[in-house]
Amino acid sequence: MKSLSKWVRLPSAWIEEGGLRDFVWEKEVGGDNIAALMALMAIAHHADAETGESHVTYDVLCKATSLSRSKLSNGLDILDELEIVDRASNGRSTYQLRNYDREGGWAMLPAKRLYAGGRIASLTEFRLRSVTELNALKLYFLFVARRGRDTNMANISFPKIHEYTGVDPAKIKAATSLLASSSLAYIERIPSRTNDMGVSNAYRLVGLEAYQHMGTRGRGQDANDFDWFSDT
């Protein structure tokens, strides 16, 4: 496996346009939708920084995601159908991130720090049998797309999370708890912009500018520090 960068570019317009809502938890396809998002993560990690094209074998993808070959195949079918990833006609080991443009329309996706022994360590315990796993990955990609570069966090309300992902607000806490326990994202508490005595949640991605967080920037931040990423 090639040496990974600290982070990679992920086309994010489809997320901003509500594309995560297409990954639904339904009988027969729920687990495959989890596999699709896991596969997308690994493909993006191995994509060429100039072209967004990923030359990576099934064996590497299966190891990175801890997926079986059949589940990986099902996940790739979904990414292809949703026009998020194209599979090249010259072989199944070539994948193109759709709408890849170095000049804009992308978000920073953590890469190198997530791996241990060629695997995305945070995904090794995913079993593809829980709606919480699907919700957690949908939220993860949303946080990637909505992260403020000045704060290194995504500050977004439950109603907005539901709007972008379709995740039931009553199930968001379980999903964010899984992200935290899997070391994919951590929850920070910041002053609320609507209540002088209240606080709101912000989400910090593991493996991305780890030096920049509430401990280094201080608790004096308010919601305005989050610019347009602040939806609470």
Side-chain angles (χ1 to χ4, degrees):
M1 185 177 70
K2 74 171 188 176
S3 177
L4 296 177
S5 302
K6 291 182 179 179
W7 59 268
V8 296
R9 293 174 177 83
L10 177 75
S12 57
W14 66 276
I15 298 174
E16 298 285 358
E17 294 166 0
L20 288 167
R21 297 180 68 94
D22 292 327
F23 295 87
V24 297
W25 184 260
E26 294 178 352
K27 188 176 181 181
E28 307 298 338
V29 299
D32 292 340
N33 279 325
I34 297 173
L37 292 175
M38 294 167 72
L40 175 60
M41 191 184 300
I43 288 170
H45 287 161
H46 292 83
D48 182 86
E50 296 296 327
T51 66
E53 190 172 75
S54 182
H55 299 279
V56 60
T57 66
Y58 255 48
D59 287 343
V60 170
L61 288 177
C62 286
K63 182 175 183 179
T65 58
S66 301
L67 291 171
S68 68
R69 294 177 74 86
S70 63
K71 279 298 181 184
L72 175 63
S73 178
N74 292 345
L76 292 173
D77 286 342
I78 290 172
L79 295 177
D80 189 39
E81 291 168 7
L82 295 178
E83 300 183 347
I84 297 171
V85 172
D86 283 334
R87 282 180 282 190
S89 58
N90 63 346
R92 66 181 182 181
S93 295
T94 302
Y95 309 91
Q96 176 66 52
L97 296 173
R98 290 286 297 265
N99 302 311
Y100 188 87
D101 183 357
R102 279 182 56 92
E103 301 305 314
W106 53 266
M108 295 169 66
L109 177 70
K112 184 175 182 179
R113 189 180 166 190
L114 301 184
Y115 282 75
R119 299 182 186 276
I120 302 172
S122 299
L123 302 182
T124 56
E125 298 302 318
F126 279 52
R127 296 293 178 260
L128 284 66
R129 301 190 185 113
S130 165
V131 65
T132 301
E133 292 180 353
L134 178 61
N135 291 342
L137 288 177
K138 290 169 69 169
L139 266 58
Y140 181 75
F141 279 97
L142 177 62
F143 299 157
V144 167
R146 300 285 287 176
R147 183 187 70 93
R149 295 189 183 183
D150 54 342
T151 64
N152 197 34
M153 290 182 279
N155 178 220
I156 185 168
S157 66
F158 278 24
K160 282 294 186 180
I161 290 174
H162 173 69
E163 178 183 328
Y164 281 106
T165 66
V167 174
D168 183 341
K171 297 181 179 179
I172 291 175
K173 185 176 180 180
T176 57
S177 294
L178 179 57
L179 290 178
S181 65
S182 300
S183 295
L184 281 170
Y186 297 132
I187 304 170
E188 303 274 10
R189 304 288 279 170
I190 65 169
S192 171
R193 67 185 294 187
T194 59
N195 183 343
D196 290 341
M197 300 299 292
V199 293
S200 62
N201 290 337
Y203 307 94
R204 178 168 56 86
L205 302 172
V206 172
L208 202 59
E209 299 183 7
Y211 61 86
Q212 186 177 349
H213 52 80
M214 293 297 288
T216 59
R217 293 180 64 92
R219 296 283 171 178
Q221 289 179 302
D222 60 31
N224 292 327
D225 291 323
F226 290 81
D227 195 28
W228 65 272
F229 288 87
S230 182
D231 291 301
T232 54

